[in-house]
Amino acid sequence: MSGAAPSTTPENPIPEFKQALGHPRPLWMLFMTEFWERFAFYGMRWALTLYIVAQFFSNDPSGQAYASRTYGAFLALVYATAIFGGFVADRVIGYQRSILVGAVVSAAGYFVVMIPDQTMFLVGLATIIVGNGLFKPNISAQVGQLYARGDERRDSGFTIFYMGINAGAFVAPILTGILANRLMGDQGMPAYKMVFCAAGIGMLISTVWFWFGRSKLQGIGEPPKGAEGPQRVLAVLVGSMVAIPVVYFLLAIDAEILAWILAGLFVVLCVMVMVEGLREGKVSRDRAIAMLIIFTFNVLFWCFFEQAGSSFNFLAQNIVNRDVGGWEFPIGWFQSVNPIAILALAPIFAWAWIKLGKANPSIPRKFGLGLIFNGLAFLLLMYSLSNLVDSQTGQIPLWPLVAVYVIQTAGELCLSPIGLSMVTKLAPLKVVGLAMGGWFLSTAIGNNLSGLFASHVSGSEGMSVASANAGYTFGFYALVGAGVVLFLIAPLIQKLMHGVK
């Protein structure tokens, strides 16, 4: 029996949850669990490329390309391992135990990253990756399991959950940035070790929060029948320890080789999902096809969106004038612009999707809007790098980069929370966790490509105005072109979805 079965079969109906603010009460427990996990992740994420260049390349700009590729590979593997985490939850230990095991493993990784050695740094990243693979897809799948398939609140619930993700992402760079720059270090060499320590503490809080709150789920996500004992949990822990050196190897190899490996995994996953779809009948088959088509557009979106921690970091460091009345705007704080924009805009989007009713754009058209908004952000960068560069400093003003994050946020809200909801609507019933892993795998491929793209923008000598302008011009045309194509084929995709909105 699948771990998802309690929420999707007549034999295991959804419990009668008490409601809070129009949604099942467990949603708010999952909201806070995700808040602290994202605090940990984003508290460390903003510092990664800057730390690599500072610690392992003595701040030489030639290290930017390596840092970007490592960053892209890290994000890619964070999401790629979600495939295996979804399978473990579906077939081995259930969703709740997968989340707890993943949280403990991730927390250990954050503390290992503190060791100022390049090999141990990659080992720590590999440990975070393995833990996140067990945690990330399954916490999202638990949200979907709180709602019946026809429940109109589902999109709204996922958007609220997405606010929890971004509340943690907003607070983390600010607090860890203050800790690194003002309390423990300086602008020349921030105390990155304290950033990683704070992230580890955040992950521990997430673990404890879910441990005590999981009873509210009333059996949703418990182990499959016959697998209630501790033996399988121990086996998953051992498997995680074995997986860490494998992931370390994938981090250490060339990012282009990793791209081919991820592409191969994606093909295998598509086959597995389609086989299950064929078993369930024509409707399930067609919905699976529609879902996989949208996955491919998701790759392109994240390839360019995920410049935040790589090329945008170096853009902010070298080409953006961060002086604000004699005070220097911290680099890491740019990455709080996106989550605070989500906190401001997500309620509006959640309200709009419900208010529009029958006029609500279809899922593929929402994705098309996401791609176009992302492209418009790159259009602003093109304009800034062509027309707003100060002739004396060689820098652009601060406001265009802030605006870029806000515009990208609008695109993200059209796509990312809707994507999570889409998987729970379109995936064959017995492989919801695996399909959620597929969503994250498509994101992983995009993230790895984002590192390759960012390394190209920086080149061998570090980022320049010319290299940034050329790269971002390509990003604009690729995103807007894909968005237009998706709008044109949206009716075909919608037909394959058989009434799913």
Side-chain angles (χ1 to χ4, degrees):
M1 180 183 295
S2 166
S7 66
T8 56
T9 65
E11 296 81 7
N12 298 280
I14 297 174
E16 292 292 332
F17 293 117
K18 293 182 178 180
Q19 303 295 298
L21 300 179
H23 290 272
R25 279 192 178 179
L27 174 66
W28 306 101
M29 181 275 292
L30 296 173
F31 176 103
M32 288 306 301
T33 301
E34 184 73 350
F35 170 91
W36 284 110
E37 188 273 335
R38 291 291 90 180
F39 175 91
F41 186 79
Y42 285 94
M44 178 194 70
R45 172 179 172 267
W46 72 265
L48 278 182
T49 53
L50 301 175
Y51 172 72
I52 291 171
V53 174
Q55 181 69 38
F56 306 128
F57 290 87
S58 300
N59 281 317
D60 191 315
S62 64
Q64 291 179 15
Y66 171 81
S68 294
R69 286 176 174 237
T70 301
Y71 171 80
F74 168 70
L75 288 186
L77 291 168
V78 158
Y79 288 104
T81 50
I83 305 170
F84 305 103
F87 179 82
V88 167
D90 275 333
R91 304 294 175 87
V92 185
I93 61 174
Y95 290 88
Q96 291 186 20
R97 290 183 175 185
S98 294
I99 291 167
L100 287 169
V101 172
V104 171
V105 173
S106 290
Y110 285 112
F111 292 112
V112 173
V113 168
M114 294 174 62
I115 301 171
D117 174 83
Q118 190 166 2
T119 298
M120 293 307 299
F121 175 75
L122 292 179
V123 169
L125 292 184
T127 305
I128 294 169
I129 288 165
V130 171
N132 196 83
L134 288 166
F135 185 101
K136 187 63 179 172
N138 298 317
I139 194 81
S140 300
Q142 289 262 260
V143 174
Q145 292 165 1
L146 301 178
Y147 301 90
R149 286 214 162 195
D151 195 328
E152 294 182 353
R153 301 173 301 165
R154 183 183 287 250
D155 278 5
S156 178
F158 269 102
T159 302
I160 291 170
F161 178 71
Y162 208 65
M163 290 175 66
I165 294 174
N166 287 281
F170 162 63
V171 172
I174 294 175
L175 293 185
T176 57
I178 291 172
L179 183 66
N181 290 320
R182 299 185 184 180
L183 301 183
M184 299 291 181
D186 55 59
Q187 291 291 342
M189 185 59 181
Y192 292 112
K193 183 183 295 186
M194 294 300 102
V195 173
F196 305 144
C197 179
I201 292 171
M203 194 68 240
L204 290 176
I205 294 174
S206 176
T207 306
V208 173
W209 196 281
F210 186 78
W211 173 267
F212 286 105
R214 61 201 170 106
S215 61
K216 294 182 175 66
L217 293 167
Q218 299 182 42
I220 294 290
E222 287 186 346
K225 289 182 179 179
E228 295 86 353
Q231 297 86 351
R232 290 193 178 193
V233 175
L234 180 60
V236 170
L237 276 170
V238 172
S240 298
M241 297 304 101
V242 172
I244 289 171
V246 176
V247 175
Y248 170 85
F249 169 77
L250 294 173
L251 272 174
I253 63 175
D254 189 276
E256 293 181 3
I257 298 174
L258 179 59
W260 285 105
I261 294 173
L262 293 175
L265 284 174
F266 187 69
V267 171
V268 171
L269 179 136
C270 290
V271 170
M272 293 175 69
V273 170
M274 284 305 304
V275 166
E276 188 59 41
L278 289 167
R279 287 174 180 168
E280 293 185 9
K282 179 180 183 297
V283 171
S284 182
R285 178 203 66 193
D286 288 351
R287 287 175 174 173
I289 292 171
M291 180 181 69
L292 296 176
I293 291 172
I294 292 175
F295 280 3
T296 61
F297 285 93
N298 189 52
V299 170
L300 187 65
F301 179 88
W302 292 105
C303 171
F304 295 102
F305 183 90
E306 262 311 337
Q307 298 304 301
S310 52
S311 74
F312 286 1
N313 251 0
F314 298 126
L315 183 75
Q317 184 180 54
N318 302 311
I319 301 177
V320 172
N321 183 353
R322 294 182 285 116
D323 180 75
V324 182
W327 171 72
E328 187 173 68
F329 189 89
I331 297 171
W333 287 21
F334 281 104
Q335 293 188 43
S336 287
V337 175
N338 167 256
I340 197 172
I342 285 180
L343 291 173
L345 297 176
I348 298 172
F349 275 78
W351 170 83
W353 300 145
I354 294 175
K355 189 67 176 178
L356 286 170
K358 293 182 179 180
N360 195 353
S362 65
I363 289 174
R365 284 196 167 144
K366 286 176 182 175
F367 270 69
L369 286 171
L371 288 163
I372 290 170
F373 272 118
N374 199 357
L376 292 176
F378 281 85
L379 179 63
L380 177 57
L381 285 174
M382 289 167 55
Y383 172 78
S384 301
L385 292 166
S386 300
N387 298 282
L388 301 181
V389 178
D390 186 278
S391 59
Q392 294 182 342
T393 65
Q395 295 180 320
I396 63 174
L398 181 146
W399 70 263
L401 185 55
V402 173
V404 162
Y405 280 104
V406 175
I407 297 168
Q408 283 192 320
T409 298
E412 183 182 4
L413 284 169
C414 289
L415 182 145
S416 194
I418 305 305
L420 295 173
S421 179
M422 174 198 70
V423 172
T424 63
K425 292 176 181 178
L426 297 180
L429 294 178
K430 292 185 178 180
V431 289
V432 173
L434 181 65
M436 190 67 76
W439 165 256
F440 289 117
L441 178 58
S442 67
T443 304
I445 295 171
N447 286 334
N448 188 58
L449 293 176
S450 79
L452 291 169
F453 175 74
S455 68
H456 175 74
V457 171
S458 288
S460 60
E461 302 298 327
M463 179 182 290
S464 67
V465 171
S467 68
N469 196 13
Y472 297 152
T473 297
F474 173 78
F476 163 71
Y477 285 112
L479 286 164
V480 172
V484 170
V485 168
L486 191 50
F487 257 84
L488 292 175
I489 66 172
L492 172 61
I493 298 174
Q494 193 63 44
K495 184 177 179 181
L496 290 170
M497 292 166 64
H498 290 279
V500 169
K501 302 294 185 181

